[in-house]
Amino acid sequence: MADVIMKHSKAVIALWLVVLVCALPFGIKSGDVLEYDMNSMSGSSTEASDGQAIIDEHFSNSIDLSEILVISYSSSEELAAAQAIFVEFQNLMDDKYGAKTTVSNYGTYSKGDPNVEGILMIAIANNEGESWDIAHETDNIRDLVKEAKSNASAAYPEAAGLTTYVTGNDAITYDTENSSMEDVSKVDPLSILLIFVLLGLFFYAVVTAVVPPAVVGMAYGIALAAVYAIGCLMGVYYITQTLILVSMLGAGCDYAIFIITRYRDERKKGLSHEDALKTAIMWGGEAVFTSGISVIIGFAALALCDFAMVRTMGIILAIGIAIALVAALTFIPSLLNLVKDKIFWPSNIESYKRVEDKVQNGGKLGVHGHLSKGSKRYFAWLSRNTHKHSKLIAIALVVLCIPGLYIFAESEDSADMISVMPDSESVDGLDLIMTQTDGGTIMPTYIVLEMNESIATVGSLPYGGMSIPYVIWNEHGLDPATMTGAVPAVMKMTKDIDAKYEIVGSISGLNSWQIMYMTVESALGTTDPSTINHVLYEQMPSAVKGYVGMILAIASEQDLTHIDPTAFDKPWNSYVVSELTVANIIDGILNVGTGILSDDGQYVSVMVITTDKPMSADTMDFLAELRSDLHDGDESYDSVYSSIWSASYVAGSSASIDDMSKDIEDQFSMIRIVVAILLIVLLFFILGSYLTPIRSIITILLSVFLTVALTHVVFEGLMDTPVLFLIPIVLFVVLLGLGMDYEIFMTTKIRENKIKGMNNDEAIDNAIKEAGPVISLCALLMGGTFLTLVLANSSMLKELGFALGMGILIDGLLMVGYVSPALMHLMGDWSWKGPGFLTRRHGLNPDGSNMAVPAACGAAPADAERIGGEMPVRAVPATPEEVAKYKQECYSEVAVRQDRIAALNAEVKTLTDNKRIGRLDEEGEKELEAKRSELKAEKESLREFQRKSREDLRSGKGQ
């Protein structure tokens, strides 16, 4: 790959720019496909989704609470002003939107006396369905509210001072979208600034600080086109766009920095530009490629989840990392090949060497010198102490992990999506509703019943431009003679549920004016129709009370502007309107008009409003018990009433999130195992080791446990914010991928040192000193970019940013910096034991020892002067100290020869390929033959060198 990139650098860069130009038009539109409602991203068949599908298909008159105007009042005068605002607002909405919307009074609600203090709720229904996006009309609707307040204040001065909120699911979606855009505009510049500052300090160069984030920005532009393409097929949850940018910035800059740093280090050692770049691509590229594949595996595993929100997140993040990885492996080396050392402007290789010379030999140090000196001292101290105190570090890890594991095991994650919504007018309105009403008013729970047979004939009665529903029960719905059927059965069930659970604020099931009339008649001990009808009228919910009164007034021939509820003086079945009894029409209003009975009479939707807010822990516990009451055992409602309904479903927003959280948890039990196994297999083949992949996975898992525990302590303990169930799940997969970067960077550097002849401890100490600084920089970069998310408005993004950022820092600075080297010191050559067919590829024996040791013992130092290609004769080592020194000297010599052979192999392959396609002239043919001869000589020389070394070692000290 190095030869191809170095020969075609301009073409590689041009290709990337062409792809970017083609992708940008689609990437710009990526925001159009984002989804902001988690319920719309389920994508999996659950009880709640099946129940919701029935509601969507069969209940045309279900109450639409997608947009709600909430007006707060604290006196009877303010209540009158609020009602005046409603009238003005209704007129303004009719003028602007016409038949697209219906604005209706949803009633007054209060924890005290609603005539004195409370809220007036006004429902804004979208009559166009999905064909019209009312969410993006939220700002216009809010402007109309302001205008309505101004108009109403002419007659009611209090109107101008009333607090109003436009809330509801669509308004929340709109506000979340705007908040997300604000978060991106706030977080992105800060992340880029952080990267620029850290890179500038590390390289002491302006160009180097700009190149990695710029290249990642190019890759991100291409990734946005993938976001758009996938979003057109299945939708993309909005936080994915923020996460992909932060992930690509962190991982992509890590990969670019690792290659650039390796190139700089090789140049500082005296290698030519070409040799330094080849070495950076060969050794640094291998580490980067392995790291990138591990991250892609982690993210791609999310695609195994059934839920579209998680699945698309995994697919897009994997694609984003893949694009960033390819850019780091191709664009960065191509750019290095073209600009060479100018990438370090205003510094250069000579200035880096001068700084190092001053650090080592003394001299006046600038900012860069002091940073370099401090870095060298720290990592030299770290290499000594991880070796010296390896057992103590292992013990400290165990001690630290015990409380972390306890908190991890005992902490409960939350499914409360409301608590993590970004601050906005819609959320404030939602909070106000929940303080003045039962918490579940705006997001009820539904018990959907699928009847064995249709229980009623449903129709509508046109009156005064309105369509008023009516119901005529059949014998399956209500048998007047025996008072049996679906209506009394459902009424019995709802009464039982209401009595059993304190958390149930109200429950609205099937109702019959006939049954209610007879119940009140029995309770009051009177047969006076006027008294009974008056009591029933006063018991009507505020949302339908006006319609019921209107029907009774029409039947009793009253003036509709002055309804007297005490004048309803006939029995329930005596009033007739258009050949229908009043009971038929009122039952239509109570059941069909409120979305309890489906249009075909085949389904019933019982609405349960909890006193606690939706998705709270108590609400979720109630849902679990309710489902058990419905489905489990011979005493369940499904069993007792099997002759009436064939199936039941618990649906609603809370039920959907509950199903989603449980199903995701169940699926991730499998996904975690898949990710861990795939990464272990990947590292096994890359490293050729039995134990090192397992050790790497264990250290990262410990990072996950510690991070989850810390997140619970900070957010639950200090900020009183529940930790969302998605956090540990996403953290596990992301950290297992991204955190593996640093494990791979460190481990591959140690293996490289082993291949070049160092023993295990020397390889570890050298890797800490050489790779430690860049690994720490990468951890600070990635951890810092994730931590910028704590500045977001959304608590979900705050928690994700904190957990991912701290997880990266714990893994990159603590685990890889201290724990992994200490454990590898303790494991010794066991770190490298593996199957021979893999270890020999890397110059290691199956027992973990270096293959060069028995072959090159007695070799002369690597820098010894060669005479005619042979090593000068030197004394045979006699003492153990001489033997050890002699071995170490030969390690470097063997590594140099092997590197030379590898380079010659690459040159011969390139020339051979050119010959095969006819691109080699006569001079090229001669060069090919010369290179082949040189390669053959080098291999023969190495074999002879190894033979003589063995003889020398055998002749000294019995080796």
Side-chain angles (χ1 to χ4, degrees), residues 69 83-99 101-104 122 144-145 147-148 151-152:
L69 170 59
Q83 291 169 335
I85 293 174
F86 159 60
V87 174
E88 293 290 341
F89 177 69
Q90 190 176 39
N91 293 333
L92 291 171
M93 288 289 290
D94 286 343
D95 291 341
K96 185 173 181 64
Y97 298 110
T101 62
T102 299
V103 177
S104 56
I122 299 164
L144 294 180
V145 172
E147 186 177 349
N151 294 345

PDB file of all heavy atoms in Angstrom, residues 69 83-99 101-104 122 144-145 147-148 151-152:
ATOM      1  N   LEU A  69     -52.176  23.958  23.588  1.00  0.00           N
ATOM      2  CA  LEU A  69     -51.965  25.276  24.188  1.00  0.00           C
ATOM      3  C   LEU A  69     -52.367  25.196  25.647  1.00  0.00           C
ATOM      4  O   LEU A  69     -53.494  24.808  25.972  1.00  0.00           O
ATOM      5  CB  LEU A  69     -52.789  26.333  23.454  1.00  0.00           C
ATOM      6  CG  LEU A  69     -52.859  27.724  24.120  1.00  0.00           C
ATOM      7  CD1 LEU A  69     -51.474  28.315  24.277  1.00  0.00           C
ATOM      8  CD2 LEU A  69     -53.771  28.649  23.321  1.00  0.00           C
ATOM      9  N   GLN A  83     -60.217  31.904  28.817  1.00  0.00           N
ATOM     10  CA  GLN A  83     -61.242  31.425  27.889  1.00  0.00           C
ATOM     11  C   GLN A  83     -61.423  32.385  26.716  1.00  0.00           C
ATOM     12  O   GLN A  83     -61.703  31.961  25.587  1.00  0.00           O
ATOM     13  CB  GLN A  83     -62.548  31.231  28.651  1.00  0.00           C
ATOM     14  CG  GLN A  83     -62.484  30.068  29.643  1.00  0.00           C
ATOM     15  CD  GLN A  83     -63.663  30.021  30.588  1.00  0.00           C
ATOM     16  OE1 GLN A  83     -64.313  31.047  30.857  1.00  0.00           O
ATOM     17  NE2 GLN A  83     -63.938  28.834  31.134  1.00  0.00           N
ATOM     18  N   ALA A  84     -61.235  33.681  26.978  1.00  0.00           N
ATOM     19  CA  ALA A  84     -61.296  34.662  25.891  1.00  0.00           C
ATOM     20  C   ALA A  84     -60.126  34.461  24.924  1.00  0.00           C
ATOM     21  O   ALA A  84     -60.276  34.587  23.702  1.00  0.00           O
ATOM     22  CB  ALA A  84     -61.279  36.081  26.456  1.00  0.00           C
ATOM     23  N   ILE A  85     -58.949  34.142  25.476  1.00  0.00           N
ATOM     24  CA  ILE A  85     -57.792  33.850  24.621  1.00  0.00           C
ATOM     25  C   ILE A  85     -58.097  32.648  23.742  1.00  0.00           C
ATOM     26  O   ILE A  85     -57.761  32.628  22.553  1.00  0.00           O
ATOM     27  CB  ILE A  85     -56.538  33.587  25.486  1.00  0.00           C
ATOM     28  CG1 ILE A  85     -56.112  34.874  26.207  1.00  0.00           C
ATOM     29  CG2 ILE A  85     -55.396  33.046  24.630  1.00  0.00           C
ATOM     30  CD1 ILE A  85     -54.982  34.670  27.195  1.00  0.00           C
ATOM     31  N   PHE A  86     -58.739  31.635  24.318  1.00  0.00           N
ATOM     32  CA  PHE A  86     -59.102  30.447  23.547  1.00  0.00           C
ATOM     33  C   PHE A  86     -59.974  30.817  22.350  1.00  0.00           C
ATOM     34  O   PHE A  86     -59.737  30.367  21.224  1.00  0.00           O
ATOM     35  CB  PHE A  86     -59.819  29.447  24.445  1.00  0.00           C
ATOM     36  CG  PHE A  86     -60.655  28.444  23.697  1.00  0.00           C
ATOM     37  CD1 PHE A  86     -60.094  27.573  22.771  1.00  0.00           C
ATOM     38  CD2 PHE A  86     -62.034  28.384  23.908  1.00  0.00           C
ATOM     39  CE1 PHE A  86     -60.875  26.665  22.083  1.00  0.00           C
ATOM     40  CE2 PHE A  86     -62.817  27.484  23.213  1.00  0.00           C
ATOM     41  CZ  PHE A  86     -62.237  26.613  22.301  1.00  0.00           C
ATOM     42  N   VAL A  87     -60.986  31.633  22.577  1.00  0.00           N
ATOM     43  CA  VAL A  87     -61.891  32.023  21.486  1.00  0.00           C
ATOM     44  C   VAL A  87     -61.123  32.768  20.391  1.00  0.00           C
ATOM     45  O   VAL A  87     -61.280  32.478  19.190  1.00  0.00           O
ATOM     46  CB  VAL A  87     -63.043  32.890  22.033  1.00  0.00           C
ATOM     47  CG1 VAL A  87     -63.899  33.417  20.875  1.00  0.00           C
ATOM     48  CG2 VAL A  87     -63.910  32.104  23.008  1.00  0.00           C
ATOM     49  N   GLU A  88     -60.283  33.740  20.802  1.00  0.00           N
ATOM     50  CA  GLU A  88     -59.497  34.484  19.815  1.00  0.00           C
ATOM     51  C   GLU A  88     -58.535  33.568  19.060  1.00  0.00           C
ATOM     52  O   GLU A  88     -58.383  33.673  17.839  1.00  0.00           O
ATOM     53  CB  GLU A  88     -58.707  35.601  20.517  1.00  0.00           C
ATOM     54  CG  GLU A  88     -59.550  36.710  21.104  1.00  0.00           C
ATOM     55  CD  GLU A  88     -60.179  37.577  20.027  1.00  0.00           C
ATOM     56  OE1 GLU A  88     -59.694  37.561  18.878  1.00  0.00           O
ATOM     57  OE2 GLU A  88     -61.164  38.271  20.322  1.00  0.00           O
ATOM     58  N   PHE A  89     -57.906  32.680  19.799  1.00  0.00           N
ATOM     59  CA  PHE A  89     -56.945  31.760  19.186  1.00  0.00           C
ATOM     60  C   PHE A  89     -57.645  30.826  18.205  1.00  0.00           C
ATOM     61  O   PHE A  89     -57.122  30.548  17.111  1.00  0.00           O
ATOM     62  CB  PHE A  89     -56.238  30.963  20.287  1.00  0.00           C
ATOM     63  CG  PHE A  89     -55.278  29.927  19.768  1.00  0.00           C
ATOM     64  CD1 PHE A  89     -54.095  30.292  19.142  1.00  0.00           C
ATOM     65  CD2 PHE A  89     -55.562  28.565  19.901  1.00  0.00           C
ATOM     66  CE1 PHE A  89     -53.210  29.329  18.662  1.00  0.00           C
ATOM     67  CE2 PHE A  89     -54.687  27.606  19.429  1.00  0.00           C
ATOM     68  CZ  PHE A  89     -53.506  27.987  18.802  1.00  0.00           C
ATOM     69  N   GLN A  90     -58.811  30.341  18.574  1.00  0.00           N
ATOM     70  CA  GLN A  90     -59.575  29.455  17.697  1.00  0.00           C
ATOM     71  C   GLN A  90     -59.902  30.158  16.381  1.00  0.00           C
ATOM     72  O   GLN A  90     -59.759  29.565  15.293  1.00  0.00           O
ATOM     73  CB  GLN A  90     -60.861  29.018  18.400  1.00  0.00           C
ATOM     74  CG  GLN A  90     -61.623  27.915  17.691  1.00  0.00           C
ATOM     75  CD  GLN A  90     -62.843  27.474  18.502  1.00  0.00           C
ATOM     76  OE1 GLN A  90     -63.535  28.302  19.106  1.00  0.00           O
ATOM     77  NE2 GLN A  90     -63.080  26.173  18.540  1.00  0.00           N
ATOM     78  N   ASN A  91     -60.296  31.424  16.457  1.00  0.00           N
ATOM     79  CA  ASN A  91     -60.616  32.184  15.243  1.00  0.00           C
ATOM     80  C   ASN A  91     -59.375  32.407  14.381  1.00  0.00           C
ATOM     81  O   ASN A  91     -59.426  32.282  13.153  1.00  0.00           O
ATOM     82  CB  ASN A  91     -61.237  33.534  15.617  1.00  0.00           C
ATOM     83  CG  ASN A  91     -62.607  33.374  16.263  1.00  0.00           C
ATOM     84  OD1 ASN A  91     -63.312  32.398  16.017  1.00  0.00           O
ATOM     85  ND2 ASN A  91     -62.985  34.336  17.107  1.00  0.00           N
ATOM     86  N   LEU A  92     -58.249  32.733  15.026  1.00  0.00           N
ATOM     87  CA  LEU A  92     -57.006  32.972  14.280  1.00  0.00           C
ATOM     88  C   LEU A  92     -56.524  31.695  13.594  1.00  0.00           C
ATOM     89  O   LEU A  92     -56.034  31.723  12.459  1.00  0.00           O
ATOM     90  CB  LEU A  92     -55.922  33.502  15.223  1.00  0.00           C
ATOM     91  CG  LEU A  92     -56.142  34.921  15.764  1.00  0.00           C
ATOM     92  CD1 LEU A  92     -55.113  35.241  16.856  1.00  0.00           C
ATOM     93  CD2 LEU A  92     -56.035  35.952  14.637  1.00  0.00           C
ATOM     94  N   MET A  93     -56.657  30.562  14.282  1.00  0.00           N
ATOM     95  CA  MET A  93     -56.248  29.294  13.686  1.00  0.00           C
ATOM     96  C   MET A  93     -57.146  28.933  12.503  1.00  0.00           C
ATOM     97  O   MET A  93     -56.662  28.428  11.475  1.00  0.00           O
ATOM     98  CB  MET A  93     -56.281  28.186  14.739  1.00  0.00           C
ATOM     99  CG  MET A  93     -55.183  28.253  15.780  1.00  0.00           C
ATOM    100  SD  MET A  93     -53.550  27.834  15.120  1.00  0.00           S
ATOM    101  CE  MET A  93     -53.741  26.079  14.817  1.00  0.00           C
ATOM    102  N   ASP A  94     -58.436  29.188  12.631  1.00  0.00           N
ATOM    103  CA  ASP A  94     -59.358  28.908  11.520  1.00  0.00           C
ATOM    104  C   ASP A  94     -59.004  29.761  10.308  1.00  0.00           C
ATOM    105  O   ASP A  94     -59.043  29.279   9.168  1.00  0.00           O
ATOM    106  CB  ASP A  94     -60.801  29.187  11.954  1.00  0.00           C
ATOM    107  CG  ASP A  94     -61.338  28.112  12.886  1.00  0.00           C
ATOM    108  OD1 ASP A  94     -60.733  27.026  12.928  1.00  0.00           O
ATOM    109  OD2 ASP A  94     -62.345  28.359  13.567  1.00  0.00           O
ATOM    110  N   ASP A  95     -58.657  31.029  10.569  1.00  0.00           N
ATOM    111  CA  ASP A  95     -58.305  31.923   9.456  1.00  0.00           C
ATOM    112  C   ASP A  95     -57.022  31.468   8.755  1.00  0.00           C
ATOM    113  O   ASP A  95     -56.925  31.545   7.532  1.00  0.00           O
ATOM    114  CB  ASP A  95     -58.124  33.356   9.980  1.00  0.00           C
ATOM    115  CG  ASP A  95     -59.441  33.973  10.433  1.00  0.00           C
ATOM    116  OD1 ASP A  95     -60.502  33.461  10.024  1.00  0.00           O
ATOM    117  OD2 ASP A  95     -59.402  34.954  11.199  1.00  0.00           O
ATOM    118  N   LYS A  96     -56.059  31.003   9.532  1.00  0.00           N
ATOM    119  CA  LYS A  96     -54.759  30.668   8.946  1.00  0.00           C
ATOM    120  C   LYS A  96     -54.731  29.266   8.344  1.00  0.00           C
ATOM    121  O   LYS A  96     -54.187  29.052   7.263  1.00  0.00           O
ATOM    122  CB  LYS A  96     -53.655  30.793  10.001  1.00  0.00           C
ATOM    123  CG  LYS A  96     -52.244  30.573   9.433  1.00  0.00           C
ATOM    124  CD  LYS A  96     -51.165  30.873  10.457  1.00  0.00           C
ATOM    125  CE  LYS A  96     -49.759  30.675   9.861  1.00  0.00           C
ATOM    126  NZ  LYS A  96     -49.494  31.625   8.761  1.00  0.00           N
ATOM    127  N   TYR A  97     -55.299  28.299   9.043  1.00  0.00           N
ATOM    128  CA  TYR A  97     -55.149  26.906   8.618  1.00  0.00           C
ATOM    129  C   TYR A  97     -56.446  26.270   8.130  1.00  0.00           C
ATOM    130  O   TYR A  97     -56.409  25.178   7.543  1.00  0.00           O
ATOM    131  CB  TYR A  97     -54.574  26.066   9.753  1.00  0.00           C
ATOM    132  CG  TYR A  97     -53.186  26.506  10.176  1.00  0.00           C
ATOM    133  CD1 TYR A  97     -52.984  27.116  11.407  1.00  0.00           C
ATOM    134  CD2 TYR A  97     -52.094  26.331   9.339  1.00  0.00           C
ATOM    135  CE1 TYR A  97     -51.715  27.528  11.804  1.00  0.00           C
ATOM    136  CE2 TYR A  97     -50.826  26.746   9.711  1.00  0.00           C
ATOM    137  CZ  TYR A  97     -50.642  27.344  10.945  1.00  0.00           C
ATOM    138  OH  TYR A  97     -49.397  27.756  11.323  1.00  0.00           O
ATOM    139  N   GLY A  98     -57.587  26.884   8.378  1.00  0.00           N
ATOM    140  CA  GLY A  98     -58.851  26.347   7.903  1.00  0.00           C
ATOM    141  C   GLY A  98     -59.114  24.944   8.410  1.00  0.00           C
ATOM    142  O   GLY A  98     -58.987  24.651   9.602  1.00  0.00           O
ATOM    143  N   ALA A  99     -59.431  24.030   7.485  1.00  0.00           N
ATOM    144  CA  ALA A  99     -59.807  22.664   7.848  1.00  0.00           C
ATOM    145  C   ALA A  99     -58.610  21.793   8.212  1.00  0.00           C
ATOM    146  O   ALA A  99     -58.784  20.649   8.636  1.00  0.00           O
ATOM    147  CB  ALA A  99     -60.578  22.021   6.694  1.00  0.00           C
ATOM    148  N   THR A 101     -56.689  22.097  10.708  1.00  0.00           N
ATOM    149  CA  THR A 101     -56.624  21.897  12.159  1.00  0.00           C
ATOM    150  C   THR A 101     -58.001  22.067  12.786  1.00  0.00           C
ATOM    151  O   THR A 101     -58.890  22.712  12.219  1.00  0.00           O
ATOM    152  CB  THR A 101     -55.659  22.898  12.828  1.00  0.00           C
ATOM    153  OG1 THR A 101     -56.146  24.239  12.621  1.00  0.00           O
ATOM    154  CG2 THR A 101     -54.258  22.773  12.271  1.00  0.00           C
ATOM    155  N   THR A 102     -58.154  21.463  13.954  1.00  0.00           N
ATOM    156  CA  THR A 102     -59.338  21.672  14.786  1.00  0.00           C
ATOM    157  C   THR A 102     -58.861  22.076  16.170  1.00  0.00           C
ATOM    158  O   THR A 102     -58.070  21.364  16.794  1.00  0.00           O
ATOM    159  CB  THR A 102     -60.189  20.396  14.892  1.00  0.00           C
ATOM    160  OG1 THR A 102     -60.642  20.020  13.588  1.00  0.00           O
ATOM    161  CG2 THR A 102     -61.383  20.622  15.804  1.00  0.00           C
ATOM    162  N   VAL A 103     -59.341  23.220  16.621  1.00  0.00           N
ATOM    163  CA  VAL A 103     -58.952  23.729  17.938  1.00  0.00           C
ATOM    164  C   VAL A 103     -60.139  23.548  18.867  1.00  0.00           C
ATOM    165  O   VAL A 103     -61.233  24.055  18.604  1.00  0.00           O
ATOM    166  CB  VAL A 103     -58.552  25.218  17.867  1.00  0.00           C
ATOM    167  CG1 VAL A 103     -58.211  25.747  19.248  1.00  0.00           C
ATOM    168  CG2 VAL A 103     -57.374  25.392  16.918  1.00  0.00           C
ATOM    169  N   SER A 104     -59.939  22.800  19.957  1.00  0.00           N
ATOM    170  CA  SER A 104     -61.046  22.520  20.871  1.00  0.00           C
ATOM    171  C   SER A 104     -60.610  22.684  22.319  1.00  0.00           C
ATOM    172  O   SER A 104     -59.433  22.516  22.654  1.00  0.00           O
ATOM    173  CB  SER A 104     -61.579  21.096  20.645  1.00  0.00           C
ATOM    174  OG  SER A 104     -60.543  20.154  20.792  1.00  0.00           O
ATOM    175  N   ILE A 122     -55.989  23.531  25.651  1.00  0.00           N
ATOM    176  CA  ILE A 122     -56.645  23.661  24.355  1.00  0.00           C
ATOM    177  C   ILE A 122     -55.949  22.729  23.373  1.00  0.00           C
ATOM    178  O   ILE A 122     -54.752  22.869  23.111  1.00  0.00           O
ATOM    179  CB  ILE A 122     -56.585  25.111  23.854  1.00  0.00           C
ATOM    180  CG1 ILE A 122     -57.306  26.029  24.850  1.00  0.00           C
ATOM    181  CG2 ILE A 122     -57.164  25.236  22.460  1.00  0.00           C
ATOM    182  CD1 ILE A 122     -56.995  27.493  24.666  1.00  0.00           C
ATOM    183  N   LEU A 144     -49.448  33.104  16.836  1.00  0.00           N
ATOM    184  CA  LEU A 144     -50.902  33.293  16.904  1.00  0.00           C
ATOM    185  C   LEU A 144     -51.374  33.366  18.354  1.00  0.00           C
ATOM    186  O   LEU A 144     -52.331  34.098  18.662  1.00  0.00           O
ATOM    187  CB  LEU A 144     -51.624  32.170  16.171  1.00  0.00           C
ATOM    188  CG  LEU A 144     -51.423  32.093  14.651  1.00  0.00           C
ATOM    189  CD1 LEU A 144     -52.210  30.924  14.069  1.00  0.00           C
ATOM    190  CD2 LEU A 144     -51.834  33.402  13.992  1.00  0.00           C
ATOM    191  N   VAL A 145     -50.729  32.625  19.251  1.00  0.00           N
ATOM    192  CA  VAL A 145     -51.075  32.692  20.675  1.00  0.00           C
ATOM    193  C   VAL A 145     -50.805  34.103  21.198  1.00  0.00           C
ATOM    194  O   VAL A 145     -51.630  34.683  21.938  1.00  0.00           O
ATOM    195  CB  VAL A 145     -50.266  31.649  21.482  1.00  0.00           C
ATOM    196  CG1 VAL A 145     -50.483  31.865  22.982  1.00  0.00           C
ATOM    197  CG2 VAL A 145     -50.685  30.240  21.091  1.00  0.00           C
ATOM    198  N   GLU A 147     -50.765  36.837  19.463  1.00  0.00           N
ATOM    199  CA  GLU A 147     -51.769  37.724  18.873  1.00  0.00           C
ATOM    200  C   GLU A 147     -53.118  37.554  19.568  1.00  0.00           C
ATOM    201  O   GLU A 147     -53.832  38.544  19.820  1.00  0.00           O
ATOM    202  CB  GLU A 147     -51.890  37.432  17.381  1.00  0.00           C
ATOM    203  CG  GLU A 147     -52.800  38.409  16.639  1.00  0.00           C
ATOM    204  CD  GLU A 147     -52.839  38.147  15.138  1.00  0.00           C
ATOM    205  OE1 GLU A 147     -52.001  37.352  14.645  1.00  0.00           O
ATOM    206  OE2 GLU A 147     -53.705  38.748  14.466  1.00  0.00           O
ATOM    207  N   ALA A 148     -53.471  36.307  19.909  1.00  0.00           N
ATOM    208  CA  ALA A 148     -54.745  36.062  20.604  1.00  0.00           C
ATOM    209  C   ALA A 148     -54.737  36.714  21.978  1.00  0.00           C
ATOM    210  O   ALA A 148     -55.758  37.280  22.412  1.00  0.00           O
ATOM    211  CB  ALA A 148     -54.975  34.556  20.736  1.00  0.00           C
ATOM    212  N   ASN A 151     -55.313  40.409  21.421  1.00  0.00           N
ATOM    213  CA  ASN A 151     -56.700  40.711  21.064  1.00  0.00           C
ATOM    214  C   ASN A 151     -57.622  40.580  22.276  1.00  0.00           C
ATOM    215  O   ASN A 151     -58.524  41.413  22.476  1.00  0.00           O
ATOM    216  CB  ASN A 151     -57.174  39.768  19.959  1.00  0.00           C
ATOM    217  CG  ASN A 151     -56.436  39.991  18.652  1.00  0.00           C
ATOM    218  OD1 ASN A 151     -55.767  41.009  18.472  1.00  0.00           O
ATOM    219  ND2 ASN A 151     -56.548  39.043  17.725  1.00  0.00           N
ATOM    220  N   ALA A 152     -57.409  39.525  23.070  1.00  0.00           N
ATOM    221  CA  ALA A 152     -58.284  39.295  24.224  1.00  0.00           C
ATOM    222  C   ALA A 152     -58.082  40.335  25.316  1.00  0.00           C
ATOM    223  O   ALA A 152     -58.992  40.597  26.114  1.00  0.00           O
ATOM    224  CB  ALA A 152     -58.034  37.897  24.795  1.00  0.00           C
TER     225      ALA A 152
END
